[in-house]
């Protein structure tokens, strides 16, 4: 059997052709060809070519296609519907603005309120205070991850308030909305902010305590004082050593200033017999510097913002 | 009558009734329903020797011949589809020869129509022998099963290309070609009386 022999099929009768074509019902014909054949056939039969009919068919086809399109579009929209009210697209996260405010306190609040604002754009991240925001922005990789309004993060450490910079580390909570609008909060990525203090250095409070003990005993050459005399307690003269110590500033920063100095004679005793007065003076001078740094990191994204605040107090004490 | 790609096809009886009651609408319905079939048959035969105009002209002629001889169409003998197929096939063969300027075996339109609609021939013995051969061939084709049967009919009766068949039977073109080869081998064995 080959193609030539298959020509036997060309002489099939109607009934045989009926049998042959059973189940074969799909045929393709270009629409333009179909239209030309229609016109030719109508002309041969003496009919008027039904242009209006054809136009109506085309119109119906377009209408049906449009209806199908609308149906499919509606279905897609329904299936992909999101309800969360606070949802931020990744594009929002690319424009995170980090504001770092550092206030310094030393008992007398002296906030510096230096505001550093820098816009983070894509990969142009910098090693600065805005690194925190940049790192945070890097976590916003999905459309459903966002920060709730007024969310509070957790600051884990503030170090180096002694020097000219403050390093802030912490974590950012990540809030994820599912498609039904339920919110899930998870611990987010660590961040770190390195804030360079460009304002005046924290003032140092130096407290100097002097303790002078006067002990009296009867010894030769001692000055005799009447028992009734109480004037001995009036000696408030600072011991020379104490005064010297008081003027020394032991602050390693060397920019500290003495804001308070106190010297007191703690005890004075007097005896009324033969007096030899021996005065033993013990002077203790303590210098201390206490610096409190309140660091506040505000990370904003869209209408949300995160505020981190931590107070760090460091006391430097030098005993002279 | 409504017409379009989303509508169901009419039954042959409805179609014939419409052609009689409202010829123009019936004619339009006939064309809408069967132009693909007739075009496929004619194109399969003439694509190698004729151009697109020859094909379109012949297809339109097939419909006109059918319409002109409507009173001879008997649905008990076969469907409209079968009648149109036979007319298309035989006229395509005639056209094929004409394009080759063969004068032999060229028959007139009237002869083809008469032959198609009545299946008459002068040589009764020849008819019997031919029908036996046809029956044997059709049975052998049926025995192939699907999709091999459809592939062979589309390839050899409708004259479709492998690519076109692949699209219709939803197989790869290479697969269609392979299956056609194997099916012909099976058919040959079966027609020679061997087991497949």
């Amino acid at each position: 059997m080959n193609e030539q022999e298959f020509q036997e099929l060309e002489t099939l009768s109607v009934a045989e052709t009926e049998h042959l074509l059973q189940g074969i019902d799909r045929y393709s014909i270009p629409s333009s060809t179909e239209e030309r054949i229609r016109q030719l056939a109508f002309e041969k039969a003496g009919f008027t070519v039904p242009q209006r009919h054809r136009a109506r068919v085309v119109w119906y086809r377009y209408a049906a296609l449009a209806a199908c399109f609308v149906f499919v579009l509606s279905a897609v929209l329904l299936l992909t519907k999101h309800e969360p009210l606070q949802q931020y697209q990744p594009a929002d996260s690319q424009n995170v603005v980090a504001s770092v405010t550092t206030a310094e306190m030393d008992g007398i609040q002296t906030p510096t309120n230096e505001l550093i604002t820098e816009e983070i754009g894509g990969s142009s991240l910098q090693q600065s205070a805005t690194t925190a925001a940049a790192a945070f922005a890097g976590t916003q990789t999905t459309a459903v991850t966002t920060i709730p309004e007024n969310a509070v993060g957790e600051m884990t450490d503030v170090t180096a308030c002694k020097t000219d910079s403050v390093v802030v580390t912490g974590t950012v909570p990540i809030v994820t909305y599912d498609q039904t609008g339920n919110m899930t909060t998870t611990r987010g990525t660590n961040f770190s902010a390195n804030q360079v203090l460009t304002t005046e250095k924290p003032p140092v409070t130096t407290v100097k305590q002097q303790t002078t003990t006067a002990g009296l005993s009867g010894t030769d050459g001692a000055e005799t004082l009447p028992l009734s005399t109480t004037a001995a307690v009036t000696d408030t003269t600072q011991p020379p050593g104490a005064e010297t110590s008081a003027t020394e500033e032991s602050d390693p920063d060397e920019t500290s200033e003495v804001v308070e100095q106190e010297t007191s004679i703690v005890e004075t005793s007097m005896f009324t017999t033969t007096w030899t007065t021996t005065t033993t003076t013990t002077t203790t001078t303590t210098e201390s510097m206490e610096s409190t740094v309140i660091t506040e990191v505000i990370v904003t994204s869209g209408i949300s913002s995160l505020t981190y605040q931590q107070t760090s107090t460091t006391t430097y004490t030098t005993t002279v | 009558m409504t017409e379009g790609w989303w509508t169901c096809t009419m039954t042959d009886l409805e179609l014939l009734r419409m052609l009689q009651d409202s010829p123009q609408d019936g004619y339009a319905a006939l064309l809408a329903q069967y132009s693909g079939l007739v075009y496929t048959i004619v194109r399969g035969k003439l694509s190698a020797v004729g151009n697109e105009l020859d094909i379109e002209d012949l297809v339109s002629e097939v419909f006109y011949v059918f319409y002109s001889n409507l009173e001879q169409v008997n649905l008990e003998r076969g469907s409209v589809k079968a009648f149109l197929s036979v007319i298309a096939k035989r006229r395509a063969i005639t056209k094929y020869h004409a394009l080759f300027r063969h004068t032999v075996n060229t028959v007139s339109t009237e002869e083809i129509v008469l032959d198609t609609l009545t299946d008459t021939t002068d040589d009764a013995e020849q008819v019997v022998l031919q029908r036996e051969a046809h029956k044997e061939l059709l049975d052998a084709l049926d025995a192939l099963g699907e999709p091999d049967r459809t592939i062979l009919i589309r390839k050899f009766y409708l004259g479709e290309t492998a690519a076109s068949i692949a699209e219709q039977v939803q197989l790869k073109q290479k697969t269609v070609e392979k299956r056609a080869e194997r099916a012909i081998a099976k058919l040959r064995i079966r027609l020679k009386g061997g087991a497949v």
Side-chain angles (χ1 to χ4, degrees), chain A residues 1 6 10-14 16 18-21 24-26 36 38 41 44 48 53 60-61, chain B residues 3 5-6 24 27 45 56-57 60 79 81 85 90 116 119 134 142 149 154 156 184 188:
Chain A
M1 189 96 189
F6 227 98
E10 295 180 344
T11 57
L12 292 179
S13 66
V14 172
E16 289 162 347
E18 180 79 52
H19 180 104
L20 185 76
L21 294 180
I24 301 176
D25 297 315
R26 294 178 59 195
R36 283 195 297 273
R38 176 193 298 272
K44 282 186 169 70
T48 307
H53 178 77
Y60 283 153
R61 289 182 182 181
Chain B
E3 172 197 349
W5 51 272
W6 66 91
Q24 187 159 333
Y27 198 57
K45 190 66 186 174
E56 290 172 5
D57 186 61
S60 64
S79 63
K81 174 183 174 183
S85 298
R90 295 185 183 178
T116 302
D119 275 345
H134 289 169
D142 289 344
R149 174 183 177 274
R154 284 187 177 274
F156 293 109
I184 288 172
R188 184 179 295 128

Side-chain angles (χ1 to χ4, degrees), chain B residues 84-101:
Chain B
L84 282 170
S85 298
V86 171
I87 295 171
K89 195 71 178 175
R90 295 185 183 178
R91 288 195 63 80
I93 292 167
T94 304
K95 184 76 174 180
Y96 177 88
H97 291 304
L99 289 171
F100 266 116
R101 301 183 185 285

Side-chain angles (χ1 to χ4, degrees), chain A residues 94-118:
Chain A
Q94 295 301 312
N95 295 317
V96 169
V97 176
S99 303
V100 179
T101 303
T102 300
E104 299 171 36
M105 294 177 64
D106 64 341
I108 301 170
Q109 190 170 357
T110 55
T112 58
N113 290 328
E114 183 189 20
L115 184 67
I116 298 174
T117 302
E118 183 170 351

Side-chain angles (χ1 to χ4, degrees), chain A residues 107-267:
Chain A
I108 301 170
Q109 190 170 357
T110 55
T112 58
N113 290 328
E114 183 189 20
L115 184 67
I116 298 174
T117 302
E118 183 170 351
E119 189 169 298
I120 305 300
S123 59
S124 61
L125 309 181
Q126 298 177 11
Q127 290 297 321
S128 66
T130 55
T131 305
F136 168 72
T139 66
Q140 303 297 290
T141 55
T142 61
V144 294
T145 304
T146 185
I147 320 166
E149 196 168 8
N150 301 321
V152 177
E154 179 183 356
M155 185 175 289
T156 57
D157 192 23
V158 176
T159 59
C161 60
K162 173 181 169 183
T163 60
D164 290 345
S165 67
V166 173
V167 177
V168 182
T169 59
T171 57
V172 177
I174 300 299
V175 176
T176 304
Y177 291 99
D178 60 21
Q179 293 196 349
T180 60
N182 295 324
M183 184 180 77
T184 306
T185 303
T186 55
R187 199 175 182 85
T189 307
N190 292 334
F191 73 91
S192 175
N194 182 7
Q195 171 63 58
V196 177
L197 300 177
T198 56
T199 55
E200 60 181 274
K201 294 174 181 176
V204 176
T205 300
T206 302
V207 179
K208 296 182 179 180
Q209 291 183 327
Q210 293 181 347
T211 301
T212 301
T213 303
L216 300 179
S217 61
T219 56
D220 291 340
E223 183 181 358
T224 300
L225 296 176
L227 287 174
S228 60
T229 300
T230 59
V233 300
T234 62
D235 184 4
T236 58
T237 304
Q238 275 190 337
E243 189 171 353
T244 301
S245 297
T247 58
E248 285 180 2
E249 294 181 353
S250 58
D251 179 19
D253 201 319
E254 292 187 356
T255 58
S256 306
E257 59 179 303
V258 177
V259 296
E260 185 178 354
Q261 179 175 318
E262 183 180 0
T263 302
S264 62
I265 296 174
V266 179
E267 184 183 354

